[in-house]
Amino acid sequence: MLQALDTYNTAVVSPVYYVMFTSFTIIASVIMFKEWAKQDASQIATEMCGFVTILSGTFLLHRTKDMGNRPSEVHSTPEPHQFPQNNDTKTPQTLEI
């Protein structure tokens, strides 16, 4: 892992490490403890859905980590003639408590 951290960014290594650790933990529990022999189909399906959820969430977090709020890409600023003209010179009112 240290060599991977030296070579790649932490944002890449950590999700891969997390998913691999979770995968191998599930596989080890199946092999060593024969975990699924005592479970019915709905429990196994629930466990697999949870694993897919963790995998998908980790993938989405990693995939969207660089998607910041860049104003030039998210919202286009209108041209000056497109701004609403407010000729009203009222001052904003404040609430007194």
Side-chain angles (χ1 to χ4, degrees):
M1 178 146 168
L2 291 176
Q3 188 176 9
L5 286 172
D6 288 339
T7 306
Y8 302 103
N9 188 0
T10 305
V12 174
V13 174
S14 294
V16 170
Y17 174 74
Y18 181 70
V19 169
M20 292 300 289
F21 179 79
T22 306
S23 302
F24 287 133
T25 301
I26 291 172
I27 292 169
S29 71
V30 168
I31 293 171
M32 292 174 55
F33 303 114
K34 300 190 183 351
E35 184 89 18
W36 289 353
K38 303 172 199 152
Q39 296 178 345
D40 60 0
S42 67
Q43 290 174 326
I44 294 172
T46 303
E47 187 174 335
M48 294 309 294
C49 286
F51 177 68
V52 169
T53 302
I54 289 172
L55 202 105
S56 301
T58 305
F59 173 76
L60 286 174
L61 284 173
H62 174 67
R63 188 74 175 149
T64 60
K65 71 175 171 43
D66 293 331
M67 296 178 87
N69 288 336
R70 297 183 189 107
S72 61
E73 293 176 9
V74 177
H75 302 288
S76 63
T77 50
E79 295 296 322
H81 66 278
Q82 292 178 339
F83 284 113
Q85 298 298 322
N86 189 3
N87 295 331
D88 203 5
T89 58
K90 292 181 184 176
T91 58
Q93 297 178 356
T94 58
L95 295 175
E96 294 183 19
I97 298 176

Tab-separated table of all heavy atoms in Angstrom, residues 30 32 57 72 90:
chain	number	residue	atom	x	y	z
A	30	VAL	N	-17.130	-16.311	3.840
A	30	VAL	CA	-17.831	-17.408	3.154
A	30	VAL	C	-17.010	-18.682	3.236
A	30	VAL	O	-17.530	-19.773	3.516
A	30	VAL	CB	-18.125	-17.024	1.689
A	30	VAL	CG1	-18.578	-18.230	0.889
A	30	VAL	CG2	-19.158	-15.933	1.625
A	32	MET	N	-14.192	-19.417	5.319
A	32	MET	CA	-13.782	-19.872	6.653
A	32	MET	C	-14.955	-20.259	7.547
A	32	MET	O	-14.893	-21.258	8.248
A	32	MET	CB	-12.940	-18.794	7.331
A	32	MET	CG	-11.601	-18.595	6.667
A	32	MET	SD	-10.647	-17.233	7.323
A	32	MET	CE	-10.561	-17.621	9.034
A	57	GLY	N	-21.413	3.353	-4.316
A	57	GLY	CA	-21.153	4.620	-3.633
A	57	GLY	C	-19.699	5.013	-3.686
A	57	GLY	O	-19.362	6.177	-3.927
A	72	SER	N	-18.322	28.857	-14.567
A	72	SER	CA	-18.322	28.985	-16.019
A	72	SER	C	-18.897	27.750	-16.696
A	72	SER	O	-19.412	27.823	-17.796
A	72	SER	CB	-16.904	29.236	-16.527
A	72	SER	OG	-16.077	28.146	-16.186
A	90	LYS	N	-36.228	51.779	-3.878
A	90	LYS	CA	-36.606	51.515	-2.490
A	90	LYS	C	-35.441	50.871	-1.770
A	90	LYS	O	-34.718	50.042	-2.324
A	90	LYS	CB	-37.813	50.588	-2.431
A	90	LYS	CG	-39.076	51.197	-2.934
A	90	LYS	CD	-40.198	50.204	-2.809
A	90	LYS	CE	-41.473	50.753	-3.400
A	90	LYS	NZ	-42.549	49.774	-3.367
